[in-house]
Amino acid sequence: MASAAILHILGAGSLGSLWATRLHRSGQAPRLILRSPERLVAYRTAGGLTLSENGQQQCYPIAAELADAVTPIHRLLVACKAYDAETAIASLAGRLAPACDMLLLQNGLGSQQAIAARWPEARTICVSSTEGAYRGDDFQVLFAGQGHNWLGSPDQGQPPDWLHDSLGRAGIPHTWSQDILPRLWHKLAVNCAINPLTVLHECRNGGLLRHRQEVLGLCHELGQLLAANGHAEATRTLPEDVLRILSNTAGNYSSMYQDVHNGRRTEIGYLLGYACQRARQQGLHLPGLQRLHHALKEHLRRHGLPSD
């Protein structure tokens, strides 16, 4: 594969836009793939993606196209929601080059496994990110918090040759993890302990510090789930990690809160849904987690949103 291969970015949401703008300003010419002709027209009218960072705004005229373009794809960052990821990849599957590197930037678990099984010829790389980014107006993204990106292959392979140089030049903080699954499970647990409660309590992350016992009770049950799935080490610091995140991001709204507030579908099926499904399969009795799942589904139904 040529070293100058373009990184195509499927999904112009918050993190996809954040990656795209940093890659572009480092001279790497990423290419956005948008979902409809109408979105492409709107994007070109906007003149590109606008990044707000440290109080400054900059518009980047990043190239964009539709899924039915004809150029082959050697490197693909899948930055759409977990429930859209597989369908979105299928829309451009005919363009995927043999041994395409596919970076998956989805919350929760389940979508990564489905994608890896459907496109086994691709090199699947999972990304677990703690960076904070929020969408503003159309094609605008606010970089809200420094974080880190852990990348790894489910088969515990080595990183592709281009990865460290490309992300390093773009200033995207990253580490290659030889065993990415514990990190994905840990992030699943953190998201399950925080996101649903911010929706039900209608609060920013810091508001959950007033519900400390409820949060810690969930951490205890999620720790049992992690241990049952072979990731006991990831449970050791889970309560402290969750409380630290709540303090460090006290003024932020969780992604699930933002989805509900903006009338968008949530990733409940890949967070609480996946966790409860695995618990049932393993015969675990996690009543707090099950109650939370039921309460969130009812809340979503009352707001006219999908509950799966």
Side-chain angles (χ1 to χ4, degrees):
M1 187 187 303
S3 61
I6 291 170
L7 179 65
H8 288 78
I9 299 177
L10 183 57
S14 55
L15 285 178
S17 297
L18 180 60
W19 279 54
T21 52
R22 290 182 293 185
L23 287 162
H24 179 86
R25 71 186 181 190
S26 69
Q28 297 187 62
R31 186 172 290 267
L32 292 172
I33 302 174
L34 301 177
R35 65 175 179 262
S36 69
E38 293 78 16
R39 291 293 289 166
L40 186 58
V41 169
Y43 175 76
R44 288 172 174 165
T45 300
L49 287 177
T50 296
L51 174 66
S52 298
E53 184 179 13
N54 299 323
Q56 302 293 318
Q57 280 195 347
Q58 178 71 45
C59 183
Y60 298 94
I62 298 164
E65 64 191 27
L66 298 176
D68 62 2
V70 296
T71 51
I73 296 172
H74 295 273
R75 303 170 184 170
L76 179 66
L77 175 67
V78 184
C80 44
K81 295 285 192 177
Y83 51 76
D84 278 337
E86 189 175 350
T87 301
I89 296 170
S91 72
L92 49 72
R95 299 175 57 192
L96 297 178
C100 170
D101 292 326
M102 198 182 297
L103 281 64
L104 306 180
L105 192 57
Q106 279 65 57
N107 273 330
L109 283 166
S111 64
Q112 302 94 330
Q113 292 86 340
I115 290 165
R118 186 165 176 181
W119 290 282
E121 67 281 2
R123 174 159 44 177
T124 300
I125 298 168
C126 299
V127 186
S128 178
S129 179
T130 61
E131 293 193 289
Y134 303 98
R135 292 171 65 181
D137 293 332
D138 232 6
F139 304 115
Q140 294 189 1
V141 61
L142 169 66
F143 191 14
Q146 297 290 335
H148 201 78
N149 300 280
W150 285 270
L151 303 93
S153 174
D155 63 7
Q156 299 184 328
Q158 296 300 310
D161 293 340
W162 60 270
L163 187 72
H164 290 315
D165 178 65
S166 176
L167 271 56
R169 285 169 53 201
I172 297 174
H174 67 284
T175 300
W176 183 262
S177 175
Q178 278 301 117
D179 191 4
I180 193 66
L181 277 177
R183 290 202 176 273
L184 296 177
W185 272 96
H186 183 269
K187 187 179 180 186
L188 172 82
V190 169
N191 283 339
C192 285
I194 294 176
N195 290 15
L197 288 179
T198 64
V199 173
L200 295 177
H201 290 297
E202 299 184 334
C203 66
R204 299 175 191 261
N205 290 353
L208 294 185
L209 294 170
R210 297 192 296 270
H211 304 277
R212 183 186 178 98
Q213 292 310 309
E214 187 176 13
V215 171
L216 292 177
L218 285 173
C219 288
H220 176 70
E221 291 193 1
L222 288 161
Q224 295 179 59
L225 180 64
L226 291 180
N229 284 276
H231 306 298
E233 182 62 23
T235 73
R236 187 172 52 84
T237 62
L238 181 61
E240 293 84 356
D241 292 341
V242 169
L243 293 176
R244 185 184 68 253
I245 289 167
L246 292 178
S247 296
N248 291 347
T249 64
N252 295 352
Y253 287 108
S254 75
S255 58
M256 185 176 283
Y257 177 99
Q258 294 176 70
D259 286 338
V260 174
H261 180 74
N262 291 301
R264 296 191 298 255
R265 182 179 175 183
T266 71
E267 293 174 298
I268 179 175
Y270 298 89
L271 295 170
L272 276 178
Y274 185 86
C276 289
Q277 179 190 42
R278 289 300 291 260
R280 286 192 301 271
Q281 290 171 345
Q282 292 160 324
L284 293 175
H285 180 56
L286 305 178
L289 206 62
Q290 292 163 358
R291 284 194 300 270
L292 181 63
H293 190 209
H294 177 76
L296 181 58
K297 289 197 294 184
E298 288 300 312
H299 184 91
L300 295 175
R301 290 188 189 109
R302 287 197 301 271
H303 284 75
L305 295 172
S307 59
D308 59 356

